[in-house]
Amino acid sequence: MLENLRKTVSEANQELYRSGLIRLSWGSVSGIDRKRNLIAITPDDLSYESLTPNDLVIIDMSGKVIQGKHEASRDAFTHIELYKNFPEIGGVTHTHSVYATIFAQANREIPIYGTMHCDYFADTISVTPKHQLEENNEHHTTMAGKDIIKTVAAETVMKTPGILIHGDGPITWGEDPIISVKNAKAMEAIAEIAFGTCILNIAPNC
Ligand SMILES: [Zn+2]
Protein backbone atom coordinates (compact mmCIF):
# COMPACT_ATOMS: atom_id res chain seq x y z
CA MET A 1 0.00 0.00 0.00
CA LEU A 2 1.25 3.52 -0.89
CA GLU A 3 4.62 2.24 -2.16
CA ASN A 4 5.76 5.59 -3.60
CA LEU A 5 4.86 7.48 -0.43
CA ARG A 6 6.63 4.84 1.70
CA LYS A 7 9.72 5.20 -0.46
CA THR A 8 9.76 9.02 -0.22
CA VAL A 9 9.17 9.05 3.53
CA SER A 10 11.85 6.40 4.01
CA GLU A 11 14.34 8.50 1.98
CA ALA A 12 13.40 11.53 4.09
CA ASN A 13 14.01 9.52 7.28
CA GLN A 14 17.44 8.42 5.99
CA GLU A 15 18.30 12.00 5.05
CA LEU A 16 17.34 13.12 8.55
CA TYR A 17 19.49 10.39 10.08
CA ARG A 18 22.49 11.35 7.90
CA SER A 19 22.05 15.02 8.85
CA GLY A 20 22.95 14.25 12.46
CA LEU A 21 19.86 16.02 13.80
CA ILE A 22 18.52 12.81 15.36
CA ARG A 23 19.74 11.28 18.60
CA LEU A 24 18.56 7.83 19.69
CA SER A 25 15.17 7.37 17.99
CA TRP A 26 13.90 10.85 18.89
CA GLY A 27 11.93 12.50 16.11
CA SER A 28 9.68 11.56 13.23
CA VAL A 29 9.02 12.21 9.56
CA SER A 30 5.75 11.73 7.71
CA GLY A 31 4.16 12.28 4.32
CA ILE A 32 0.53 12.32 3.25
CA ASP A 33 -1.43 10.93 0.29
CA ARG A 34 -4.12 13.61 -0.05
CA LYS A 35 -6.31 11.54 -2.37
CA ARG A 36 -6.64 8.74 0.14
CA ASN A 37 -6.12 10.84 3.28
CA LEU A 38 -3.53 8.38 4.56
CA ILE A 39 -0.22 9.20 6.21
CA ALA A 40 3.06 7.23 6.21
CA ILE A 41 5.03 7.94 9.40
CA THR A 42 8.15 6.81 11.26
CA PRO A 43 7.47 3.92 13.66
CA ASP A 44 7.84 4.47 17.39
CA ASP A 45 11.18 3.69 18.99
CA LEU A 46 12.91 2.05 16.02
CA SER A 47 16.50 2.77 14.98
CA TYR A 48 16.70 5.12 11.97
CA GLU A 49 19.82 3.36 10.76
CA SER A 50 17.99 0.18 9.78
CA LEU A 51 14.65 1.72 8.81
CA THR A 52 13.15 0.43 5.53
CA PRO A 53 10.01 1.54 3.62
CA ASN A 54 8.19 -1.50 5.02
CA ASP A 55 8.84 -0.38 8.61
CA LEU A 56 6.81 2.79 8.10
CA VAL A 57 3.34 2.85 9.58
CA ILE A 58 0.28 3.87 7.55
CA ILE A 59 -2.32 5.73 9.62
CA ASP A 60 -5.56 7.52 8.83
CA MET A 61 -6.50 11.06 9.87
CA SER A 62 -7.79 9.81 13.23
CA GLY A 63 -4.45 8.15 14.03
CA LYS A 64 -5.75 4.62 13.49
CA VAL A 65 -3.12 2.23 12.15
CA ILE A 66 -4.20 1.01 8.71
CA GLN A 67 -1.06 -0.97 7.92
CA GLY A 68 2.19 -1.65 9.75
CA LYS A 69 3.96 -4.10 11.97
CA HIS A 70 5.06 -1.40 14.45
CA GLU A 71 3.36 1.27 16.52
CA ALA A 72 3.19 4.71 14.87
CA SER A 73 5.43 7.46 16.24
CA ARG A 74 4.04 9.05 19.38
CA ASP A 75 4.23 12.38 17.51
CA ALA A 76 1.57 11.21 15.04
CA PHE A 77 -1.23 13.37 16.46
CA THR A 78 0.86 16.52 16.06
CA HIS A 79 1.50 15.66 12.40
CA ILE A 80 -2.21 14.95 11.88
CA GLU A 81 -3.26 18.37 13.22
CA LEU A 82 -0.95 20.06 10.69
CA TYR A 83 -2.28 17.98 7.78
CA LYS A 84 -5.91 18.55 8.83
CA ASN A 85 -5.58 22.33 9.03
CA PHE A 86 -3.18 23.16 6.21
CA PRO A 87 -3.91 21.38 2.90
CA GLU A 88 -0.70 22.74 1.31
CA ILE A 89 1.43 20.63 3.65
CA GLY A 90 2.67 17.34 2.16
CA GLY A 91 5.38 16.39 4.65
CA VAL A 92 6.24 17.01 8.32
CA THR A 93 9.48 16.55 10.30
CA HIS A 94 9.90 16.71 14.07
CA THR A 95 13.31 16.54 15.75
CA HIS A 96 15.02 17.44 19.02
CA SER A 97 18.01 18.98 17.24
CA VAL A 98 20.16 20.65 19.89
CA TYR A 99 20.10 24.39 19.20
CA ALA A 100 16.46 24.60 18.11
CA THR A 101 15.50 22.56 21.19
CA ILE A 102 17.46 24.94 23.43
CA PHE A 103 15.25 27.79 22.15
CA ALA A 104 12.10 25.62 22.58
CA GLN A 105 12.98 24.69 26.16
CA ALA A 106 13.90 28.27 27.05
CA ASN A 107 10.55 29.41 25.57
CA ARG A 108 12.44 31.79 23.26
CA GLU A 109 11.39 32.55 19.71
CA ILE A 110 14.13 32.89 17.07
CA PRO A 111 14.11 36.46 15.71
CA ILE A 112 15.43 37.33 12.28
CA TYR A 113 19.13 38.09 12.78
CA GLY A 114 20.38 37.50 9.24
CA THR A 115 19.76 36.77 5.61
CA MET A 116 19.96 32.97 5.95
CA HIS A 117 16.94 33.07 8.25
CA CYS A 118 14.95 35.04 5.65
CA ASP A 119 15.93 32.59 2.89
CA TYR A 120 14.01 29.82 4.65
CA PHE A 121 11.66 31.47 7.15
CA ALA A 122 9.97 34.74 6.23
CA ASP A 123 9.30 35.70 9.83
CA THR A 124 10.35 35.10 13.42
CA ILE A 125 10.23 31.40 14.34
CA SER A 126 7.58 31.31 17.07
CA VAL A 127 7.17 29.12 20.15
CA THR A 128 3.83 27.47 20.99
CA PRO A 129 2.12 28.52 24.27
CA LYS A 130 3.64 27.32 27.51
CA HIS A 131 2.04 24.23 29.10
CA GLN A 132 2.66 22.04 32.05
CA LEU A 133 5.02 19.38 30.72
CA GLU A 134 3.68 15.88 30.90
CA GLU A 135 4.53 12.48 29.61
CA ASN A 136 4.82 12.48 25.83
CA ASN A 137 1.58 10.61 25.28
CA GLU A 138 -1.31 10.96 22.85
CA HIS A 139 -2.87 13.82 24.85
CA HIS A 140 0.42 15.73 24.88
CA THR A 141 1.04 15.40 21.16
CA THR A 142 -2.57 16.30 20.30
CA MET A 143 -2.25 19.41 22.50
CA ALA A 144 1.04 20.30 20.78
CA GLY A 145 -0.73 20.03 17.42
CA LYS A 146 -3.62 22.24 18.57
CA ASP A 147 -1.16 24.82 19.95
CA ILE A 148 0.63 24.92 16.61
CA ILE A 149 -2.65 25.55 14.81
CA LYS A 150 -3.41 28.44 17.17
CA THR A 151 0.03 29.96 16.58
CA VAL A 152 0.50 29.50 12.81
CA ALA A 153 -1.45 31.73 10.41
CA ALA A 154 -2.92 30.08 7.31
CA GLU A 155 -1.65 32.91 5.05
CA THR A 156 1.98 32.41 6.08
CA VAL A 157 2.13 28.70 6.82
CA MET A 158 4.31 27.88 3.80
CA LYS A 159 6.39 31.05 4.06
CA THR A 160 7.54 30.29 7.59
CA PRO A 161 7.48 26.49 7.48
CA GLY A 162 8.32 25.63 11.06
CA ILE A 163 7.74 26.38 14.72
CA LEU A 164 9.17 25.48 18.12
CA ILE A 165 6.98 23.33 20.36
CA HIS A 166 7.44 24.72 23.85
CA GLY A 167 9.49 22.40 26.08
CA ASP A 168 9.89 19.89 23.27
CA GLY A 169 11.62 20.83 20.01
CA PRO A 170 11.26 22.06 16.45
CA ILE A 171 8.70 20.89 13.92
CA THR A 172 8.96 21.80 10.24
CA TRP A 173 6.88 21.13 7.18
CA GLY A 174 6.94 21.47 3.41
CA GLU A 175 5.28 20.49 0.15
CA ASP A 176 6.71 16.98 0.60
CA PRO A 177 8.63 15.01 3.25
CA ILE A 178 12.08 15.72 1.73
CA ILE A 179 11.45 19.49 1.84
CA SER A 180 10.26 19.22 5.45
CA VAL A 181 13.63 17.59 6.33
CA LYS A 182 15.51 20.32 4.45
CA ASN A 183 13.61 22.91 6.50
CA ALA A 184 14.53 21.03 9.72
CA LYS A 185 18.19 21.24 8.74
CA ALA A 186 17.84 24.96 7.94
CA MET A 187 16.09 25.66 11.24
CA GLU A 188 18.86 23.96 13.23
CA ALA A 189 21.58 25.94 11.41
CA ILE A 190 19.64 29.19 11.96
CA ALA A 191 19.11 28.35 15.66
CA GLU A 192 22.83 27.64 16.13
CA ILE A 193 23.83 30.94 14.53
CA ALA A 194 21.11 32.82 16.46
CA PHE A 195 22.37 31.27 19.72
CA GLY A 196 25.87 32.64 19.06
CA THR A 197 24.44 36.00 18.01
CA CYS A 198 22.49 36.24 21.28
CA ILE A 199 25.63 35.51 23.32
CA LEU A 200 27.72 38.14 21.53
CA ASN A 201 24.89 40.65 21.87
CA ILE A 202 24.89 40.06 25.64
CA ALA A 203 28.69 40.48 25.83
CA PRO A 204 29.55 42.87 22.97
CA ASN A 205 33.04 43.71 24.21
CA CYS A 206 34.38 40.23 24.86
ZN1 LIG B 1 9.21 15.82 20.57
Side-chain angles (χ1 to χ4, degrees):
M1 182 189 268
L2 302 176
E3 295 312 317
N4 285 342
L5 184 64
R6 279 179 184 279
K7 196 163 164 276
T8 309
V9 175
S10 178
E11 279 168 16
N13 272 280
Q14 291 306 319
E15 180 57 28
L16 189 61
Y17 176 70
R18 284 193 296 270
S19 74
L21 299 189
I22 293 291
R23 296 180 180 200
L24 304 173
S25 58
W26 301 344
S28 49
V29 185
S30 71
I32 188 166
D33 181 320
R34 288 284 179 191
K35 283 193 189 123
R36 301 174 72 174
N37 266 340
L38 293 175
I39 297 163
I41 190 165
T42 315
D44 191 37
D45 206 19
L46 197 73
S47 166
Y48 275 75
E49 208 169 353
S50 55
L51 195 77
T52 69
N54 285 335
D55 289 320
L56 295 171
V57 186
I58 305 293
I59 56 173
D60 68 14
M61 295 295 257
S62 71
K64 185 179 154 204
V65 174
I66 303 299
Q67 193 180 57
K69 52 191 182 217
H70 306 287
E71 298 270 313
S73 163
R74 65 195 68 183
D75 310 324
F77 290 93
T78 312
H79 292 234
I80 288 169
E81 286 298 322
L82 279 162
Y83 289 127
K84 267 191 198 166
N85 286 276
F86 304 113
E88 308 96 318
I89 294 179
V92 176
T93 297
H94 174 50
T95 79
H96 299 96
S97 61
V98 174
Y99 285 94
T101 300
I102 288 171
F103 277 89
Q105 292 194 170
N107 195 22
R108 292 272 297 263
E109 61 185 24
I110 306 177
I112 297 176
Y113 284 130
T115 51
M116 270 178 46
H117 183 129
C118 306
D119 286 346
Y120 288 87
F121 301 92
D123 209 340
T124 294
I125 297 169
S126 306
V127 191
T128 59
K130 198 168 179 176
H131 275 302
Q132 182 80 27
L133 293 176
E134 52 185 285
E135 201 181 330
N136 201 1
N137 55 17
E138 179 182 325
H139 175 68
H140 174 76
T141 62
T142 306
M143 285 305 294
K146 293 196 183 306
D147 284 341
I148 293 168
I149 305 315
K150 277 187 228 154
T151 315
V152 174
E155 315 80 72
T156 56
V157 64
M158 302 310 275
K159 289 183 183 148
T160 299
I163 195 167
L164 300 165
I165 303 169
H166 171 252
D168 188 351
I171 189 160
T172 54
W173 49 85
E175 292 82 354
D176 63 45
I178 302 281
I179 295 173
S180 73
V181 169
K182 189 176 161 199
N183 289 335
K185 291 197 280 186
M187 192 194 287
E188 179 60 6
I190 288 160
E192 184 175 358
I193 294 164
F195 184 80
T197 307
C198 287
I199 288 175
L200 289 188
N201 283 342
I202 294 165
N205 298 317
C206 66

